[in-house]
Protein backbone atom coordinates (compact mmCIF):
# COMPACT_ATOMS: atom_id res chain seq x y z
CA UNK A 1 0.00 0.00 0.00
CA UNK A 2 1.30 3.42 -0.92
CA UNK A 3 0.94 6.18 1.68
CA UNK A 4 -0.71 9.02 -0.28
CA UNK A 5 -1.51 7.87 -3.82
CA UNK A 6 -2.50 4.49 -5.17
CA UNK A 7 -0.45 2.71 -7.82
CA UNK A 8 -2.84 3.72 -10.60
CA UNK A 9 -2.35 7.41 -9.80
CA UNK A 10 1.43 7.00 -9.63
CA UNK A 11 1.46 5.22 -13.00
CA UNK A 12 -0.70 7.93 -14.58
CA UNK A 13 1.64 10.64 -13.27
CA UNK A 14 4.72 8.77 -14.55
CA UNK A 15 3.17 8.43 -18.00
CA UNK A 16 2.22 12.14 -18.22
CA UNK A 17 5.68 13.51 -17.44
CA UNK A 18 8.08 13.44 -20.40
CA UNK A 19 11.03 12.79 -18.07
CA UNK A 20 9.45 9.58 -16.69
CA UNK A 21 7.12 8.45 -19.50
CA UNK A 22 9.46 5.68 -20.70
CA UNK A 23 10.18 4.15 -17.28
CA UNK A 24 8.76 0.62 -17.23
CA UNK A 25 6.05 0.06 -14.59
CA UNK A 26 5.12 -3.35 -13.19
CA UNK A 27 2.19 -3.27 -10.78
CA UNK A 28 2.33 -5.60 -7.76
CA UNK A 29 -1.12 -5.79 -6.24
CA UNK A 30 -3.64 -7.75 -4.22
CA UNK A 31 -6.41 -6.87 -6.71
CA UNK A 32 -6.98 -10.10 -8.66
CA UNK A 33 -10.00 -9.38 -10.85
CA UNK A 34 -9.73 -9.16 -14.60
CA UNK A 35 -11.24 -5.68 -14.48
CA UNK A 36 -8.53 -4.48 -12.06
CA UNK A 37 -5.84 -5.94 -14.35
CA UNK A 38 -7.36 -4.18 -17.36
CA UNK A 39 -7.46 -0.87 -15.50
CA UNK A 40 -3.83 -1.28 -14.38
CA UNK A 41 -2.63 -2.02 -17.90
CA UNK A 42 -4.78 0.79 -19.33
CA UNK A 43 -3.00 3.32 -17.11
CA UNK A 44 0.25 2.38 -18.84
CA UNK A 45 1.75 -0.43 -16.76
CA UNK A 46 3.79 -2.92 -18.77
CA UNK A 47 2.81 -5.81 -16.51
CA UNK A 48 0.43 -6.59 -13.66
CA UNK A 49 1.35 -9.18 -11.02
CA UNK A 50 -1.00 -10.25 -8.23
CA UNK A 51 0.05 -11.21 -4.72
CA UNK A 52 1.22 -13.64 -3.58
CA UNK A 53 3.90 -14.00 -6.23
CA UNK A 54 7.08 -15.98 -6.60
CA UNK A 55 10.28 -13.88 -6.33
CA UNK A 56 11.71 -15.94 -9.18
CA UNK A 57 8.65 -15.15 -11.33
CA UNK A 58 8.98 -11.45 -10.49
CA UNK A 59 12.64 -11.40 -11.59
CA UNK A 60 11.71 -13.12 -14.84
CA UNK A 61 8.90 -10.66 -15.55
CA UNK A 62 11.21 -7.69 -14.82
CA UNK A 63 13.80 -9.12 -17.22
CA UNK A 64 11.11 -9.70 -19.88
CA UNK A 65 9.85 -6.14 -19.49
CA UNK A 66 13.33 -4.68 -19.82
CA UNK A 67 14.05 -6.85 -22.87
CA UNK A 68 10.79 -5.71 -24.48
CA UNK A 69 11.71 -2.06 -23.87
CA UNK A 70 15.13 -2.64 -25.48
CA UNK A 71 13.54 -4.25 -28.53
CA UNK A 72 11.09 -1.37 -28.93
CA UNK A 73 13.92 1.16 -28.64
CA UNK A 74 15.92 -0.66 -31.32
CA UNK A 75 12.86 -0.76 -33.58
CA UNK A 76 12.42 3.01 -33.19
CA UNK A 77 16.09 3.57 -34.05
CA UNK A 78 15.78 1.34 -37.12
CA UNK A 79 12.66 3.19 -38.25
CA UNK A 80 14.54 6.48 -37.90
CA UNK A 81 17.43 5.15 -39.98
CA UNK A 82 15.09 4.07 -42.79
CA UNK A 83 14.17 7.73 -43.35
CA UNK A 84 17.65 8.45 -44.68
CA UNK A 85 18.70 7.46 -48.22
CA UNK A 86 21.14 4.53 -48.53
CA UNK A 87 24.82 5.36 -48.83
Amino acid sequence: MLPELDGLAVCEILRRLPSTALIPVIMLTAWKTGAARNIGLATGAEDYITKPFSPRDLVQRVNDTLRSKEIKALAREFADLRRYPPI
Side-chain angles (χ1 to χ4, degrees):
M1 210 53 156
L2 298 172
E4 295 183 27
L5 299 172
D6 65 17
L8 296 173
V10 171
C11 190
E12 288 172 348
I13 291 168
L14 289 172
R15 292 296 169 249
R16 271 187 294 190
L17 299 172
S19 60
T20 58
L22 297 178
I23 294 173
V25 174
I26 298 175
M27 291 194 171
L28 302 175
T29 181
W31 296 94
K32 296 183 182 203
T33 66
R37 177 180 169 79
N38 290 341
I39 292 168
L41 294 173
T43 62
E46 276 72 25
D47 205 348
Y48 188 95
I49 302 172
T50 57
K51 297 174 188 176
F53 57 88
S54 154
R56 210 174 254 169
D57 186 39
L58 175 60
V59 169
Q60 184 61 52
R61 307 264 292 264
V62 168
N63 287 333
D64 291 347
T65 298
L66 293 174
R67 189 175 311 110
S68 174
K69 283 286 193 185
E70 290 172 7
I71 290 168
K72 289 176 186 175
L74 287 172
R76 279 192 299 274
E77 286 180 34
F78 180 72
D80 288 342
L81 289 176
R82 293 187 68 199
R83 286 189 248 167
Y84 299 101
I87 297 175

